[in-house]
Amino acid sequence: MTTTALTRVLRAEILTGTVPGLRAWLVRAGCFGLCLTAALFLVAVRLQAIRLRYEINELVREKQAAAARLSNLEVERSALGASNRIEREARRLGFVVPGRDAVVVLSD
């Protein structure tokens, strides 16, 4: 048998699936491919989970910083809104308490 004839016979056996061990090799290759795909998928999912965990931690830190800033602003607002401070600031700006004759009461 020549090389060309042998090649034709092997091609025919491959096409018909009669090559000894080819089916087992194909099954093993398919299983390997499936396992490799599953492993790559699991790695991708794991990396995504890690990325999301870092993002969640960053958002928690931002929330804590915002809560601390809000607390500081509330304290500052209450300090700025205190009536004695407002009165002191008005006097510094030159405002005076109006006399009885300067007050006008409008009726409905």
Side-chain angles (χ1 to χ4, degrees):
M1 200 182 281
T2 65
T3 309
T4 312
L6 181 60
T7 304
R8 274 186 261 153
V9 169
L10 282 175
R11 283 184 185 157
E13 287 178 345
I14 289 171
L15 290 174
T16 59
T18 58
V19 175
L22 179 65
R23 173 172 259 130
W25 183 85
L26 288 174
V27 168
R28 275 188 252 128
C31 288
F32 176 76
L34 184 64
C35 289
L36 183 62
T37 302
L40 289 175
F41 177 74
L42 290 175
V43 168
V45 168
R46 179 72 175 153
L47 289 175
Q48 179 74 1
I50 290 171
R51 187 185 67 77
L52 289 174
R53 190 175 307 135
Y54 279 118
E55 191 173 329
I56 288 170
N57 287 339
E58 179 65 28
L59 290 172
V60 166
R61 278 193 295 275
E62 286 179 18
K63 180 184 174 189
Q64 290 170 345
R69 178 76 174 133
L70 177 64
S71 176
N72 290 340
L73 287 173
E74 287 173 348
V75 168
E76 187 177 343
R77 181 189 64 169
S78 65
L80 290 175
S83 61
N84 59 355
R85 186 192 181 285
I86 292 173
E87 187 177 335
R88 193 174 48 236
E89 192 66 24
R91 283 199 181 106
R92 186 184 69 79
L93 293 172
F95 291 95
V96 293
V97 178
R100 288 194 167 265
D101 56 338
V103 177
V104 177
V105 179
L106 299 175
S107 61
D108 288 334

